[in-house]
Amino acid sequence: MWTDRKADVRDTSGKRARDSSPVLNRLMALTGDMIYLDKVMQDKWFVLQLAVWALRGVTRVILANNPLSGALMLAALYWASPWQGLLGTLGLLTSTLVAVILGQDSAEVWGGLHGFNGMLVSLLMGVFNSAGDWYWWLLLPVCLGSATTVFFFSGLSSVLDRWDLPVAVFPFNIVIVIYFLCTGPDNPYFPRRLAIPPSSVATNVTAVSATEVLQGIPLGVGQIFACGSLGPSFLILAGLCLYSPLQAFHALLGSAVGTLVGLSVAVRHECLYSGLSGFNGALGCMAVGGFFFMFNWKTHLLAIASAFLSAYLDIALSNLLGATGLPACSWAATLTVTLLLLLRGSASAYRIPTGQVKAPEQNLRSRSRWEAGSTVERESTDV
Amino acid sequence: MWTDRKADVRDTSGKRARDSSPVLNRLMALTGDMIYLDKVMQDKWFVLQLAVWALRGVTRVILANNPLSGALMLAALYWASPWQGLLGTLGLLTSTLVAVILGQDSAEVWGGLHGFNGMLVSLLMGVFNSAGDWYWWLLLPVCLGSATTVFFFSGLSSVLDRWDLPVAVFPFNIVIVIYFLCTGPDNPYFPRRLAIPPSSVATNVTAVSATEVLQGIPLGVGQIFACGSLGPSFLILAGLCLYSPLQAFHALLGSAVGTLVGLSVAVRHECLYSGLSGFNGALGCMAVGGFFFMFNWKTHLLAIASAFLSAYLDIALSNLLGATGLPACSWAATLTVTLLLLLRGSASAYRIPTGQVKAPEQNLRSRSRWEAGSTVERESTDV
Amino acid sequence: MWTDRKADVRDTSGKRARDSSPVLNRLMALTGDMIYLDKVMQDKWFVLQLAVWALRGVTRVILANNPLSGALMLAALYWASPWQGLLGTLGLLTSTLVAVILGQDSAEVWGGLHGFNGMLVSLLMGVFNSAGDWYWWLLLPVCLGSATTVFFFSGLSSVLDRWDLPVAVFPFNIVIVIYFLCTGPDNPYFPRRLAIPPSSVATNVTAVSATEVLQGIPLGVGQIFACGSLGPSFLILAGLCLYSPLQAFHALLGSAVGTLVGLSVAVRHECLYSGLSGFNGALGCMAVGGFFFMFNWKTHLLAIASAFLSAYLDIALSNLLGATGLPACSWAATLTVTLLLLLRGSASAYRIPTGQVKAPEQNLRSRSRWEAGSTVERESTDV
């Protein structure tokens, strides 16, 4: 397998291969999107293929696409809570398999695009479940909910494709809201905790602890996986760094912006300390800074604006949905990024067509190639 | 008139005519969409034409299209409550006439597509009215509300046509929510009952009565017309059976699935007994199983999935809207079916273009003809 | 400058120039859209240009487009409350400048299309602020909120353009809801008043005062700018009359319809007296009666229908949003007009393409020219 891959590496980055050492070259091949892996895996066992699809799916949660990063992030989830890790794995596999059964586009399945929504649904079901860990009945809604995300992913993509928009985590957000509305704190089979609105409590008497607020920034990255422990959050960040250091930087920046926004409208301290104020900002910042837009100082400023808007919208939605005990999940970042992708004017010039999005570093490299081919591409994607 | 029709029957089903008895042939002509009737009625009195359009509209509520079925269903409504029957008739006629005045597409008007939303609005206004039957002031909002559905039908079809989606009962659902939000339990002119969320009450102490739950399944079909009596529900089912036995089967199947779903999240017993848990499942199951998709075992499984999703979404929406005293009407089934119509992958191969939807049995028969012409059709409907 | 303009006037209305006195001609040039001004201003100082764009933006709030009317309306706002005037001006300039920075379409910026949403956000922030006038911290959210409207305007226009729909005040309505949800009555930095639902209070014991209800009709026009004083409302009306007497007539008519609607469902008397019942009706009536549709007796009836629907929807949304203390702003009129612009059938024949909308009187005059060129236009705007 190693020989095969080496050949592929030379193939995709032939020019670079000459002026760097072979060891570094091999290590570099483990970063970014690892697209050559699809070819390598093509004639391997189905289980092995499924594992790669699923691990790609894990990273899709945090806007990455690298099976090794996925393995690190999954390890972080198992570290934080084995039960949560199990639920996440089950959701991941269920939705990926359902996508295969429903005959979804194979490129989408290979890229892990049908796994991450199912995983998030499962993780959130676990986090808000008030019947305790290892409550085996929960596997039923986890399987059903994960399977449902595939329907939403496929249906929504028909609509959003008209504007070349990604489906992102809309399916997760919709399905989890449906599940939470169906069950409730008094449900005899699937009791759940209620979400508390961030602006609700008037007992903000104590001063804010600066160290805890600072801790909230890396926790905000972990909260993207509904993970509230510091160690695993750093492992997730490490996995993200393996995929793209620029993404990791924007994740921390966005989380910091989100925390700042939380302070500016005086949310509950727990929101700041747990990273819940930060994770929408992190997602909004990552998506715009280098992922869906070419990275440069203009889009960097847009990424910061995106983090601000995501964080404010998250507080707004958390207050609205929290009034009925619902969490706002990642609605805010998803909506904000969708809005910014629709933007006209000078920003749209740096927009990368959804089908060609790669790791930010690779986006920068493939810029010239994409620009050369853009006139041809445009014609074919025109509706 | 009979002679005329015979000629037409021979015309549309010439091949079938030879190998079946003329009596059976005549009876068969009363089932399905009865498209030949449009030609027959063309030069008749306007009032007679209007009656056919209106009766078609009655059946559109339950995803059918047959004036005789419509007469049976209208009779069922008058049987259940003459006042409700009157309101339904008024709404039906008002919205059909407003559509004529507003110059809507005549094929749509003839097919009853502008009647059913107005009828549903009127029926629901009557059901939730707390001023008692024969409260004549109610005719004012009934007329206004029915007229408004035409605006929504026309406006929404401009948007939904882009994805070849039916407008379905979106106008009804929107208009009735507006009406319910404008009025309230204390409104001096139009007082209304509040809807109770299905998961609200904690007094689920008594055991579920199996017979009453079983009764809820046919009642779920009646609840599509907001009718909660057993006899009329069976008459509605008979009318549906006249149009298409397959639709009637799916209606009962969907209602059963909905009841099962209600049990799985422990809704109030009244919801199960009255058929309110079942009717969204019934609508979701009917629409997918043979109506908008070609009937086969794959779409049959999809229809069951649709029933499940419709029923869960209905409970979710009922809990959400019920918090402010609003009923969820048929939002759940409408949204679910819209989603499934947008589905990509293997399911989309069985999708019937909206303009060519007929009774499930006729869909099966015209499959080959449609497939032959599909390349031509696609080109013209392409945007 | 005067000589320049005279030449332009002769240029745009050459035929009219011969059979009317030069004085009247000059005065007529101050009404309507004053499009020639764009040419005149092209090589003037940026500050002067910005002033014209901003003043056009002021009138866009009330579906007009005339810098002189804008000056009158801004004067009315300063008359009603200097603090509100200041906030409005700041929001207006911020969002216009942000649009310039973000490289938005220059024709849109010149037409004031990027100013009015920011202005409305600022005015509403001021009106619902419970920390009193001259609370300088409020300038921070005013600037941020106004800037955000530009993002929403640009993003939404990408979506709405598919159906040739105007973005209208959607950005304002979205941004202000986000702001209100982020803050609250107990917010330590930005406390706000809660909106009271129109149907909430049961103390409607006293009889309605006819004179106060009549006063509510002109106040309804003022409430479009969140202005509740009688004098400034008449000045706003005068400014509107300068742009187009037909618009002013429809504004009063719509406000009267809205008040009637308020009476029909027994809203709180304060809503009637303050003009809050009327302003959505006024907006809905103006948009349809001559602005987006060619004025004739058919569209006049449609405008009245639009006023009714806007007013009912406003009460519905006010009750819904008011349950969580949010005002419904102008959601109702915006949604209603969007719906009516999507209408098919005979009404769509009188629809004016969004890009060619001018003052109602000018729409009538340019009708023949537009009809002649419509086949060419259609081809180019086809998607």
Side-chain angles (χ1 to χ4, degrees), chain A residues 102 154 158 161 181-182 189, chain B residues 162 264 312 319 342 344 346:
Chain A
L102 283 175
S154 184
S158 296
D161 268 12
L181 282 172
C182 279
Y189 312 135
Chain B
R162 287 273 161 130
S264 83
Y312 276 117
N319 281 331
L342 286 167
R344 287 172 171 188
S346 50

Side-chain angles (χ1 to χ4, degrees), chain B residues 326-357:
Chain B
L326 294 170
C329 302
S330 52
W331 275 109
T334 317
L335 289 171
T336 302
V337 171
T338 304
L339 179 76
L340 294 183
L341 288 176
L342 286 167
L343 219 58
R344 287 172 171 188
S346 50
S348 65
Y350 307 111
R351 166 92 197 268
I352 300 163
T354 306
Q356 300 176 35
V357 164

Side-chain angles (χ1 to χ4, degrees), chain C residues 82-128:
Chain C
W83 169 241
Q84 283 289 95
L86 177 74
L87 289 181
T89 314
L90 183 65
L92 194 62
L93 294 175
T94 308
S95 60
T96 307
L97 284 173
V98 167
V100 173
I101 292 166
L102 283 175
Q104 297 301 305
D105 186 50
S106 55
E108 287 182 356
V109 175
W110 293 358
L113 283 174
H114 287 288
F116 66 107
N117 277 294
M119 185 185 193
L120 278 169
V121 165
S122 313
L123 289 175
L124 263 279
M125 281 183 181
V127 164
F128 277 88

Side-chain angles (χ1 to χ4, degrees), chain A residues 26-268:
Chain A
R26 265 188 205 175
L27 284 174
M28 283 298 289
L30 302 178
T31 67
D33 294 280
M34 292 179 76
I35 298 162
Y36 59 86
L37 206 66
D38 287 347
K39 272 191 205 161
V40 178
M41 300 302 293
Q42 224 157 18
D43 41 359
K44 295 283 180 301
W45 291 338
F46 178 73
V47 177
L48 220 68
Q49 287 190 325
L50 184 65
V52 172
W53 302 342
L55 288 177
R56 281 192 189 278
V58 174
T59 52
R60 288 283 184 181
V61 169
I62 200 163
L63 295 164
N65 182 13
N66 179 315
L68 285 183
S69 304
L72 281 179
M73 290 169 188
L74 202 59
L77 287 181
Y78 274 100
W79 178 13
S81 152
W83 169 241
Q84 282 288 94
L86 176 75
L87 289 181
T89 314
L90 182 65
L92 195 62
L93 294 175
T94 307
S95 60
T96 307
L97 284 173
V98 167
V100 173
I101 292 166
L102 283 175
Q104 297 301 305
D105 185 49
S106 55
E108 285 183 356
V109 175
W110 293 358
L113 283 174
H114 287 288
F116 66 108
N117 278 294
M119 186 186 191
L120 278 169
V121 165
S122 313
L123 289 174
L124 264 278
M125 281 183 180
V127 164
F128 277 88
N129 171 33
S130 63
D133 281 6
W134 311 106
Y135 177 70
W136 294 103
W137 281 110
L138 200 66
L139 300 191
L140 206 71
V142 157
C143 286
L144 277 177
S146 306
T148 312
T149 58
V150 180
F151 288 91
F152 278 96
F153 194 94
S154 184
L156 288 177
S157 71
S158 296
V159 177
L160 295 171
D161 268 12
R162 287 274 161 130
W163 294 275
D164 192 28
L165 292 170
V167 179
V169 282
F170 277 119
F172 148 63
N173 284 304
I174 295 170
V175 171
I176 201 71
V177 163
I178 296 175
Y179 171 74
F180 284 157
L181 282 172
C182 279
T183 61
D186 306 322
N187 193 287
Y189 312 135
F190 308 110
R192 70 166 172 96
R193 294 191 295 111
L194 292 177
I196 306 162
S199 308
S200 64
V201 187
T203 54
N204 264 350
V205 220
T206 54
V208 182
S209 147
T211 48
E212 289 196 76
V213 167
L214 283 177
Q215 268 192 9
I217 295 174
L219 278 175
V221 180
Q223 284 289 3
I224 296 173
F225 285 93
C227 161
S229 326
L230 205 57
S233 293
F234 275 112
L235 190 54
I236 288 168
L237 207 55
L240 187 59
C241 218
L242 175 68
Y243 172 68
S244 155
L246 203 61
Q247 284 287 80
F249 164 69
H250 275 114
L252 281 176
L253 178 68
S255 186
V257 167
T259 306
L260 193 70
V261 162
L263 285 169
S264 83
V265 291
V267 299
R268 289 184 303 120

Side-chain angles (χ1 to χ4, degrees), chain B residues 101-104 108 144 148 151-152 154-159 161-163 178 181-183 187-190 324 326 383, chain C residues 162-163 199 202 263-266 302 305 309 312-313 315-317 319-320 323 339-340 342-347 383:
Chain B
I101 292 165
L102 283 175
Q104 297 300 305
E108 286 181 357
L144 276 178
T148 311
F151 289 91
F152 278 95
S154 184
L156 287 177
S157 71
S158 296
V159 176
D161 267 13
R162 287 273 161 130
W163 293 275
I178 296 175
L181 281 172
C182 279
T183 62
N187 193 287
Y189 312 134
F190 309 109
T324 47
L326 294 170
V383 186
Chain C
R162 287 273 161 132
W163 293 275
S199 308
L263 284 169
S264 83
V265 292
L302 193 66
L309 188 50
Y312 277 116
L313 187 55
I315 293 170
L317 291 176
N319 281 331
L320 180 69
L339 178 77
L340 294 183
L342 285 167
L343 220 58
R344 288 173 170 187
S346 51
V383 186

Side-chain angles (χ1 to χ4, degrees), chain C residues 28 30-32 63-64 66 69 237-253 286 289-290 295 359-362 365:
Chain C
M28 282 299 286
L30 303 177
T31 68
L63 295 163
N66 179 316
S69 304
L237 207 54
L240 187 59
C241 218
L242 175 67
Y243 171 69
S244 155
L246 203 61
Q247 284 286 82
F249 164 69
H250 275 115
L252 280 177
L253 178 68
M286 271 192 285
F295 178 73
E361 287 80 5
Q362 282 168 307
R365 254 180 272 139

Side-chain angles (χ1 to χ4, degrees), chain C residues 92-265:
Chain C
L92 194 62
L93 294 175
T94 308
S95 60
T96 307
L97 284 173
V98 167
V100 173
I101 292 166
L102 283 175
Q104 297 301 305
D105 186 50
S106 55
E108 287 182 356
V109 175
W110 293 358
L113 283 174
H114 287 288
F116 66 107
N117 277 294
M119 185 185 193
L120 278 169
V121 165
S122 313
L123 289 175
L124 263 279
M125 281 183 181
V127 164
F128 277 88
N129 171 34
S130 63
D133 280 6
W134 310 106
Y135 177 71
W136 294 102
W137 282 108
L138 201 66
L139 300 191
L140 205 71
V142 157
C143 287
L144 277 176
S146 306
T148 311
T149 58
V150 180
F151 289 90
F152 277 95
F153 194 94
S154 184
L156 287 177
S157 72
S158 295
V159 176
L160 294 170
D161 267 12
R162 287 273 161 132
W163 293 275
D164 192 28
L165 293 170
V167 179
V169 281
F170 277 119
F172 148 62
N173 283 304
I174 296 170
V175 170
I176 201 72
V177 164
I178 296 174
Y179 171 73
F180 284 158
L181 281 172
C182 278
T183 63
D186 307 321
N187 192 288
Y189 312 135
F190 308 110
R192 70 167 171 95
R193 293 191 296 110
L194 291 177
I196 304 162
S199 308
S200 64
V201 187
T203 53
N204 266 348
V205 222
T206 54
V208 182
S209 145
T211 47
E212 289 196 75
V213 167
L214 282 177
Q215 268 193 7
I217 294 173
L219 278 175
V221 180
Q223 284 290 2
I224 296 175
F225 285 93
C227 162
S229 327
L230 205 56
S233 294
F234 275 113
L235 189 53
I236 289 169
L237 207 54
L240 187 59
C241 218
L242 175 67
Y243 171 69
S244 155
L246 203 61
Q247 284 286 82
F249 164 69
H250 275 115
L252 280 177
L253 178 68
S255 187
V257 167
T259 306
L260 194 69
V261 163
L263 284 169
S264 83
V265 292

